[in-house]
Amino acid sequence: MRDSQSCPVLIHNITKHSSQKPFNKSKGQIQQVEFHPNKPFFYVLSQRYVRVYNLVKQAMVRKLTCSVKWASCMAIHPKGDSLIVGSYDKTLVWFDMDLSVKPYKSLQQHKKAIRHVCFHPRYPLYASSSDDCSTIITHGMVYNDLVKNPLVVPVKVLRGHRDTAKYGVLCNVFHPQQPWIYTGGSDGDIWLFV
């Protein structure tokens, strides 16, 4: 137990029955962790930074500055070249991993804290869910041409959940094949939007 307090993140390899510490000490309160979809990278979201670790070299390769007061969630694009981070101060930031360690775009579409963000695995869409009981679907096109910047256009605001104890929509997930989204709220309901 002592190791888990000094390093709150462990990566478990189920086939080898082993565990590894990606870093000795955590720097800040960890909000979320994610794996890169096709590279041996590990993303750790803390209050203000996203640290990217190379699991093969066991070293940090990048430190992204979120430019928000308190980050709450993140999602990696299925191609792995973009990252979105939601925050408790109503801001969503988009990182183009090929451009900079600072956000490419910053959006303030919600009226309350953002609780969850996700990319669609097949379509150029991403969603952000918030305590304002809304989920915003945004067209986020990432081009194969590295000279073109990603295109970010809000498409639809989805409502349906009730506000309970100052919390709204807590999570969302896209259907793997269809442009449908499931949302789960603090009201105990799960909605399917088609």
Side-chain angles (χ1 to χ4, degrees):
M1 263 319 181
R2 198 175 318 153
D3 286 342
S4 66
Q5 291 172 351
S6 63
C7 178
V9 176
L10 292 172
I11 299 173
H12 304 286
N13 187 330
I14 296 171
T15 57
K16 293 181 181 178
H17 302 285
S18 65
S19 299
Q20 118 183 42
K21 287 186 199 178
F23 41 85
N24 291 332
K25 276 184 150 178
S26 67
K27 296 176 180 170
Q29 186 178 9
I30 294 174
Q31 301 295 314
Q32 186 177 344
V33 295
E34 291 282 337
F35 288 102
H36 192 280
N38 44 17
K39 291 182 182 174
F41 290 164
F42 183 65
Y43 293 74
V44 179
L45 175 68
S46 63
Q47 182 177 347
R48 294 182 188 217
Y49 300 101
V50 178
R51 289 177 173 84
V52 184
Y53 294 92
N54 186 324
L55 294 174
V56 175
K57 295 179 181 176
Q58 294 189 349
M60 185 171 77
V61 292
R62 213 158 199 200
K63 181 178 172 183
L64 308 173
T65 305
C66 294
S67 303
V68 296
K69 290 180 185 172
W70 196 297
S72 60
C73 53
M74 72 173 163
I76 302 167
H77 191 273
K79 291 182 180 178
D81 50 5
S82 293
L83 172 82
I84 52 175
V85 175
S87 72
Y88 291 120
D89 57 330
K90 308 175 274 190
T91 306
L92 184 135
V93 292
W94 178 299
F95 289 94
D96 185 335
M97 300 301 285
D98 299 323
L99 286 180
S100 173
V101 295
K102 297 205 183 268
Y104 157 72
K105 201 168 211 56
S106 180
L107 304 165
Q108 280 202 325
Q109 300 169 319
H110 290 284
K111 295 176 184 154
K112 291 186 179 178
I114 297 173
R115 293 286 171 178
H116 196 263
V117 292
C118 72
F119 279 102
H120 194 287
R122 191 171 169 197
Y123 294 103
L125 300 171
Y126 73 83
S128 60
S129 295
S130 170
D131 285 341
D132 62 7
C133 295
S134 71
T135 297
I136 298 177
I137 307 296
T138 305
H139 180 271
M141 184 68 177
V142 177
Y143 297 102
N144 289 335
D145 183 7
L146 296 177
V147 177
K148 284 188 172 183
N149 289 333
L151 176 68
V152 180
V153 180
V155 175
K156 182 84 175 164
V157 177
L158 305 173
R159 298 193 185 278
H161 291 280
R162 296 180 313 275
D163 187 359
T164 57
K166 298 183 184 176
Y167 298 112
V169 185
L170 300 177
C171 63
N172 60 52
V173 64
F174 280 106
H175 186 279
Q177 300 295 325
Q178 301 295 328
W180 305 344
I181 189 166
Y182 297 90
T183 61
S186 62
D187 56 3
D189 292 341
I190 297 174
W191 285 67
L192 167 63
F193 294 94
V194 294

